[in-house]
């Protein structure tokens, strides 16, 4: 008797994890597949897709499961998943995270917001939406987002055995990082128990989300003559909020001495300055705020600040927009 709750025409149950570099989706996919294969005897495959190996860049991790008598010969990216795990809720601004989702599919989102807000942003009209505060759990337990997301994914994939993942967690951390075993077990359990669900039934006969394969903007028919590179060599026009891992710098203006150390180490155009005069009437530049449009959350400014005027805070929905001091470029 099959233990897989549903499969596609090839006999696969498929999971796609949407994330950014640094949140551990690659390792989560590996551990998820390992748990199903070693713990339940399923056949499974896992691989990831990403560009440059750096924090903040988009990452996809793919997991396929099938019965032991079915062989996996398909190693192509998963286009029509049964489950999608969104590790970073701002990804929808740059990536179509729901691409190819089946009508009865489940989407898991790492977020603190309510269901209606998330549905609106994702343009998710029907199906099951699961929400877990994976970042909050990770902060409490001093672990990473991926373990709490794994807990929620195991609640969604009810054919998987949570005890097998607990063994995988022990095996993964015990040798090199034994002090992280218990915190990660607690993180996994909290993700499993704290995930929330809302289901809106799909209309009868409705098709799933159409899969869209990103195409290059310029090709042989649209490339400018001479191979001109049109993209600017800076982030002036870009919104980097999708590359942040959940934290932003917070400015306490009263503690700032306007030393510009933060501006020196900032890799982007985050800090906004205005001219003024000091007490002796001499020209002086003063820090007026942070333009969060360009902030990717590297927190180098927090490390370098000599007075503690810049501190790390967890990013909450709407915080960056309401506290942004915008650049005015002439």
């Amino acid at each position: 008797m099959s233990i897989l709750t549903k499969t596609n025409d090839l006999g696969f149950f498929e999971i796609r994890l949407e994330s950014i570099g640094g949140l551990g989706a690659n390792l989560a996919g590996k551990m998820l597949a390992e748990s199903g294969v070693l713990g339940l005897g399923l056949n499974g495959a896992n691989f990831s897709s990403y560009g440059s190996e750096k924090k903040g860049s988009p990452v996809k991790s793919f997991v396929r499961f099938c019965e032991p008598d079915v062989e996996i010969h398909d190693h192509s990216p998963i286009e029509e998943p049964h489950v999608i795990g969104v590790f970073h809720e701002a990804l929808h601004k740059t990536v179509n995270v729901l691409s190819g989702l089946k009508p009865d599919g489940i989407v898991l989102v790492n977020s603190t917001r309510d269901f209606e807000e998330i549905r609106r942003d994702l343009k998710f009209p029907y199906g099951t939406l699961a929400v877990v505060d994976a970042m909050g759990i990770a902060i409490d337990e001093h672990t990473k987002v991926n373990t709490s997301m794994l807990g929620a994914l195991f609640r969604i994939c009810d054919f998987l055995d949570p005890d097998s993942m607990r063994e995988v967690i022990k095996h993964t951390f015990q040798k090199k990082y034994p002090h992280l075993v218990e915190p990660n077990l607690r993180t996994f359990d909290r993700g499993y128990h704290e995930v929330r669900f809302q289901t809106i039934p799909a209309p009868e006969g409705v098709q799933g989300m159409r899969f869209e394969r990103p195409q290059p903007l310029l090709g042989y028919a649209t490339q400018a003559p001479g191979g001109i590179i049109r993209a600017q060599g800076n982030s002036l026009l870009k919104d980097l909020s999708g590359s942040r891992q959940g934290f932003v710098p917070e400015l306490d203006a009263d503690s700032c001495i306007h030393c510009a150390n933060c501006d020196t180490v900032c890799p982007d155009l985050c800090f906004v300055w205005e001219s003024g005069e000091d007490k002796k009437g001499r020209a002086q530049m003063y820090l007026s705020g942070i333009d969060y449009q360009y902030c990717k959350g590297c927190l180098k400014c927090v490390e370098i600040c000599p007075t503690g005027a810049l501190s790390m805070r967890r990013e909450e929905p709407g915080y960056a927009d309401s506290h942004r001091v915008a650049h005015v470029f002439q």
Side-chain angles (χ1 to χ4, degrees):
M1 179 178 177
S2 172
I3 66 170
L4 295 174
T5 52
K6 60 185 75 171
T7 58
N8 60 17
D9 293 340
L10 297 176
F12 301 147
F13 183 91
E14 299 184 322
I15 303 169
R16 188 173 74 221
L17 306 181
E18 302 274 1
S19 183
I20 60 173
L23 295 184
N26 187 20
L27 178 59
K30 173 183 174 296
M31 294 172 70
L32 185 59
E34 188 176 335
S35 173
V37 172
L38 299 182
L40 297 175
L42 295 169
N43 277 345
N46 159 248
F47 56 98
S48 297
S49 171
Y50 45 84
S52 56
E53 292 190 68
K54 65 178 182 180
K55 290 183 178 180
S57 57
V59 172
K60 296 179 188 291
S61 184
F62 308 105
V63 179
R64 282 190 174 96
F65 288 122
C66 60
E67 296 299 329
D69 58 343
V70 177
E71 294 187 9
I72 299 178
H73 296 293
D74 183 1
H75 298 285
S76 61
I78 291 173
E79 298 183 350
E80 297 183 334
H82 296 91
V83 176
I84 294 176
V86 182
F87 281 50
H88 192 307
E89 63 176 326
L91 265 177
H92 74 272
K93 297 178 181 178
T94 55
V95 177
N96 183 3
V97 294
L98 301 186
S99 178
L101 181 68
K102 295 179 178 295
D104 58 348
I106 302 176
V107 178
L108 169 66
V109 181
N110 168 25
S111 179
T112 59
R113 297 188 300 160
D114 61 41
F115 290 105
E116 294 309 314
E117 286 184 282
I118 299 172
R119 283 187 181 279
R120 182 194 64 224
D121 285 349
L122 295 184
K123 298 179 174 59
F124 186 45
Y126 49 78
T128 298
L129 178 63
V131 178
V132 65
D133 183 12
M135 175 62 75
I137 296 171
I139 292 172
D140 289 346
E141 302 293 346
H142 303 287
T143 54
K144 291 221 170 186
V145 169
N146 56 353
T147 312
S148 40
M149 288 292 284
L150 278 171
L153 285 166
F154 265 69
R155 179 79 174 274
I156 292 168
C157 303
D158 53 6
F159 60 88
L160 294 174
D161 180 8
D163 286 335
S164 68
M165 176 51 72
R166 294 185 183 100
E167 291 302 315
V168 170
I169 290 173
K170 293 176 185 177
H171 175 75
T172 301
F173 294 103
Q174 208 156 35
K175 190 171 182 180
K176 284 189 175 182
Y177 310 104
H179 62 288
L180 293 180
V181 172
E182 287 304 319
N184 274 282
L185 289 174
R186 290 195 301 270
T187 301
F188 174 79
D189 288 339
R190 286 188 59 183
Y192 186 89
H193 292 292
E194 294 179 22
V195 62
R196 300 173 289 128
F197 297 90
Q198 184 187 73
T199 300
I200 296 180
E204 187 174 349
V206 74
Q207 299 295 316
M209 307 285 182
R210 187 169 64 87
F211 177 77
E212 296 179 355
R213 183 176 290 107
Q215 300 295 327
L217 297 178
L218 298 176
Y220 75 93
T222 54
Q223 173 67 52
I228 298 172
I229 299 176
R230 294 182 175 180
Q232 294 82 4
N234 56 51
S235 59
L236 183 63
L237 303 178
K238 296 179 180 178
D239 182 351
L240 298 185
S241 61
S243 65
R244 295 196 285 265
Q245 296 185 49
F247 298 94
V248 291
E250 180 179 23
L251 175 64
D252 176 11
D254 293 336
S255 302
C256 181
I257 59 175
H258 312 286
C259 64
N261 282 355
C262 53
D263 202 48
T264 302
V265 299
C266 180
D268 292 291
L269 301 167
C270 296
F271 293 97
V272 182
W273 298 83
E274 59 184 12
S275 58
E277 294 183 349
D278 63 13
K279 295 179 180 179
K280 296 183 179 181
R282 295 173 298 190
Q284 174 75 35
M285 296 300 291
Y286 292 93
L287 180 61
S288 60
I290 302 173
D291 193 338
Y292 287 105
Q293 174 175 329
Y294 306 112
C295 178
K296 56 191 176 187
C298 69
L299 303 178
K300 294 180 184 295
C301 56
V302 174
E303 296 174 12
I304 201 69
C305 182
T307 65
L310 288 164
S311 59
M312 178 182 74
R313 68 166 288 150
R314 182 182 178 185
E315 183 176 6
E316 300 167 353
Y319 176 84
D321 292 336
S322 62
H323 290 78
R324 177 191 176 201
V325 177
H327 277 290
V328 178
F329 297 107
Q330 302 296 332

